[in-house]
Amino acid sequence: MSWSKLKQQLESFLSPALIGRVEYRATSYRYSPDKSGNCYITVDKKNVLNMSDATTSIRWYQTEQEIKNDPEIIIPVNHEEIEAIRKEAKGPVPEDRLQVMARSRKLSVHAKELLLAQAALSKLNFTVAATTYLSTSIEDNLESKDILFNILALMDRRVGKKRILNMSEQIKLKHPAVQYFYELRRSTL
């Protein structure tokens, strides 16, 4: 599918409040067929989502430790996870230490998922991902671990106000890029 047709289809699914604010853009190199060009998303004429651009306002993590030490990431720990750690410890462990251990374990898993999704986005061909997004259900795109699918779904008009408002807890566990577009969409409600 040509870029102009794909862009037209993507923009036809934009939430009415985001039309004119969010744009999909692509650059290509006419005389260099081995270069695929660059695709990015702009918000209010500012380049917001482009993995190869250092001026982007979204934080991209380089290591697992950066994610673990990020104070903005809040990982909730439930009673079952604490009990699982208590059973594995095979001895008396203070309650506050159990919480720290459970949070650390959950944060490690979360960090690996974020880095994996981020790495997939950096290698991803935007046009292939957008075509896949258009042929996949909106529920699958929202639940996907792929950052780009999440972002496109959050800006989609098929995702209503009630669903957006109910997603606030699960968005906290997503990549900062997904959180940025969630807040953008939420600000339009």
Side-chain angles (χ1 to χ4, degrees):
M1 180 182 309
S2 70
W3 168 250
S4 58
K5 180 90 170 163
L6 182 63
K7 178 181 176 179
Q8 184 180 19
Q9 282 189 336
L10 286 172
E11 289 179 347
S12 73
F13 282 109
L14 270 178
S15 169
L18 295 175
I19 294 174
R21 289 188 68 194
V22 174
E23 293 180 67
Y24 304 104
R25 302 206 174 233
T27 59
S28 60
Y29 302 96
R30 184 178 194 176
Y31 298 109
S32 185
D34 59 331
K35 290 194 176 187
S36 60
N38 223 352
C39 294
Y40 50 97
I41 299 174
T42 62
V43 176
D44 298 327
K45 307 283 187 224
K46 292 181 184 165
N47 183 358
V48 175
L49 183 68
N50 183 0
M51 279 293 292
S52 62
D53 187 10
T55 63
T56 185
S57 59
I58 295 171
R59 178 164 184 194
W60 296 102
Y61 297 108
Q62 302 299 319
T63 65
E64 187 176 327
Q65 287 304 314
E66 280 184 41
I67 297 170
K68 287 182 172 182
N69 296 330
D70 190 349
E72 293 180 19
I73 296 178
I74 299 166
I75 302 288
V77 180
N78 60 32
H79 184 68
E80 292 83 29
E81 293 163 340
I82 292 173
E83 286 304 314
I85 300 256
R86 183 176 309 201
K87 287 178 184 174
E88 289 176 19
K90 298 177 184 172
V93 178
E95 193 66 30
D96 58 334
R97 183 68 189 143
L98 286 172
Q99 267 192 331
V100 169
M101 291 167 67
R103 184 179 182 281
S104 178
R105 181 176 291 174
K106 206 169 176 183
L107 195 54
S108 288
V109 170
H110 179 65
K112 285 181 176 78
E113 288 176 356
L114 276 181
L115 286 172
L116 190 65
Q118 191 172 282
L121 182 61
S122 67
K123 297 175 191 168
L124 193 63
N125 183 345
F126 183 85
T127 55
V128 172
T131 305
T132 305
Y133 165 78
L134 291 171
S135 63
T136 308
S137 74
I138 198 73
E139 288 80 19
D140 291 344
N141 286 319
L142 283 170
E143 294 170 7
S144 172
K145 298 223 183 278
D146 192 307
I147 296 170
L148 191 56
F149 290 163
N150 293 159
I151 290 169
L152 293 172
L154 284 170
M155 294 188 297
D156 200 306
R157 62 182 157 82
R158 297 174 288 177
V159 179
K161 178 181 180 179
K162 187 175 180 180
R163 184 184 272 174
I164 290 288
L165 294 174
N166 289 338
M167 293 174 69
S168 63
E169 284 302 311
Q170 75 185 69
I171 291 295
K172 289 179 183 176
L173 299 175
K174 298 283 186 177
H175 192 274
V178 178
Q179 292 175 8
Y180 173 85
F181 283 97
Y182 174 75
E183 291 302 324
L184 174 70
R185 176 70 190 272
R186 217 172 136 191
S187 70
T188 65
L189 300 178

